[in-house]
Amino acid sequence: MSKSFAVIGDPIDHSLSPNIHSAAFRELNLDSSYIAYRIPKGELADGIEGLKKIKIDGFNITIPHKIEMMKYLDKIDESCSLIGAVNTVSNKDGVLKGYNTDMDGFLEPFKKKELNIKDAKVLLLGAGGAARAIVAGFAKEKAKRMTIANRTLEKAKELSGFAKTIGLDANAIKIEDVKNTAKDYDIIVNATSIGLKNEPSPISLEGINEKTIVYDIVYIPMNTDFLKKAKEKKAIVIYGYEMLLGQAVRAFKIWHGIEAPYNAMKKALLGGF
């Protein structure tokens, strides 16, 4: 029986998720389809009703709906309750169950590359969309200490408060106060949108070395200025597409109950750049 899936959000035209999942369906000869479906802010309730009417089997959620979607779920996975947002939904006989694959998707490249997080000193740039899931991931893997730097100090303080509730030693500062302190950290993550429009790196990466892990969750463009500067210093680089792929692989397993064809999905994703 044919199955249908989607990604919802606004804007949504740039999404590479249809490419990734369609490649997986072809690889495994599954009778399934996946589309990008724009639901503007303020129209989520009607959009969800429409998806339920067509009996969609599952969908991904991106900005601006990740938090509001929590109101429309019948069940939630523990990942959702921890992070307070949802990015994957399964629909079984009209029962919507929410999951959050952001944390595991973020951690996937560390595991694939066998990079250690335990006892690391972490600098997180940004306190928006995915930042809460990233903090949860570092807490799970027992990072030693985290500095959260954001343009708005209040948001950084709010996120550091969440970090402390889940056992991670964290402090909050404004992003301009870390411009020349990269050398003090083992792992540096850009979770801001800086780089999407080819802007210069949000901080100086002076002092980092070949042992520093530099991770940018921006995936278009693939090579942001932040990562280019990291590569100049011979740092270990993690691309944003690796997180996107990690999320997609987990969503696929939630919906289909089988392992995703990682290599086929990766090939399709990289072909989209």
Side-chain angles (χ1 to χ4, degrees):
M1 194 170 83
S2 180
K3 292 188 173 184
S4 58
F5 303 90
V7 56
I8 65 169
D10 187 25
I12 202 66
D13 292 345
H14 70 288
S15 177
L16 295 176
S17 292
N19 295 13
I20 304 169
H21 285 279
S22 296
F25 302 154
R26 286 193 300 272
E27 182 71 13
L28 298 180
N29 201 26
L30 297 175
D31 184 11
S32 296
S33 62
Y34 188 111
I35 62 164
Y37 178 44
R38 178 176 169 262
I39 300 179
K41 191 171 185 177
E43 297 180 22
L44 184 58
D46 290 341
I48 297 305
E49 277 309 305
L51 290 172
K52 286 169 91 170
K53 276 179 186 169
I54 64 166
K55 297 190 166 128
I56 197 149
D57 293 276
F59 52 96
N60 292 123
I61 303 107
T62 186
I63 56 171
H65 303 309
K66 284 187 174 188
I67 294 171
E68 190 189 352
M69 183 65 215
M70 296 282 286
K71 297 191 297 193
Y72 303 101
L73 298 171
D74 302 299
K75 295 181 178 178
I76 58 169
D77 180 72
E78 62 180 355
S79 59
C80 273
S81 49
L82 172 66
I83 296 163
V86 57
N87 74 346
T88 302
V89 173
S90 67
N91 180 13
K92 296 279 169 71
D93 301 319
V95 176
L96 299 185
K97 183 171 180 180
Y99 303 80
N100 193 307
T101 65
D102 279 337
M103 181 181 77
D104 287 336
F106 174 77
L107 293 174
E108 181 71 14
F110 286 97
K111 292 174 180 173
K112 279 203 168 294
K113 298 170 194 284
E114 297 183 346
L115 299 172
N116 193 34
I117 291 173
K118 191 172 185 291
D119 296 330
K121 289 174 284 186
V122 178
L123 172 60
L124 175 62
L125 307 172
R132 197 172 165 103
I134 291 168
V135 167
F138 280 122
K140 181 184 176 186
E141 297 299 319
K142 299 193 166 33
K144 184 178 184 180
R145 190 169 65 250
M146 172 178 276
T147 298
I148 298 165
N150 195 54
R151 281 172 286 197
T152 310
L153 185 58
E154 208 48 51
K155 279 194 171 182
K157 284 181 176 175
E158 188 181 312
L159 190 59
S160 68
F162 165 68
K164 286 168 186 170
T165 66
I166 57 173
L168 184 56
D169 179 14
N171 69 300
I173 56 176
K174 292 196 79 169
I175 208 161
E176 56 260 35
D177 295 332
V178 291
K179 288 202 179 283
N180 296 296
T181 62
K183 64 184 183 300
D184 298 334
Y185 301 96
D186 305 305
I187 303 172
I188 304 169
V189 180
N190 176 39
T192 74
S193 60
I194 296 170
L196 273 171
K197 297 176 182 174
N198 289 304
E199 302 99 324
S201 172
I203 63 166
S204 164
L205 292 174
E206 280 304 314
I208 68 169
N209 57 44
E210 69 280 357
K211 292 181 180 176
T212 311
I213 300 168
V214 179
Y215 193 151
D216 198 336
I217 73 166
V218 169
Y219 62 86
I220 299 176
M222 186 164 71
N223 279 297
T224 58
D225 186 62
F226 179 67
L227 290 184
K228 285 177 188 171
K229 285 188 165 47
K231 285 193 274 190
E232 285 169 11
K233 302 292 183 184
K234 306 282 193 290
I236 300 163
V237 162
I238 300 177
Y239 295 95
Y241 82 80
E242 296 178 74
M243 177 176 175
L244 179 67
L245 193 55
Q247 294 165 320
V249 162
R250 275 159 178 74
F252 184 94
K253 187 164 187 181
I254 287 165
W255 294 330
H256 298 280
I258 56 175
E259 293 299 327
Y262 183 90
N263 289 333
M265 293 168 88
K266 181 178 179 180
K267 187 176 177 183
L269 173 57
L270 293 179
F273 286 101

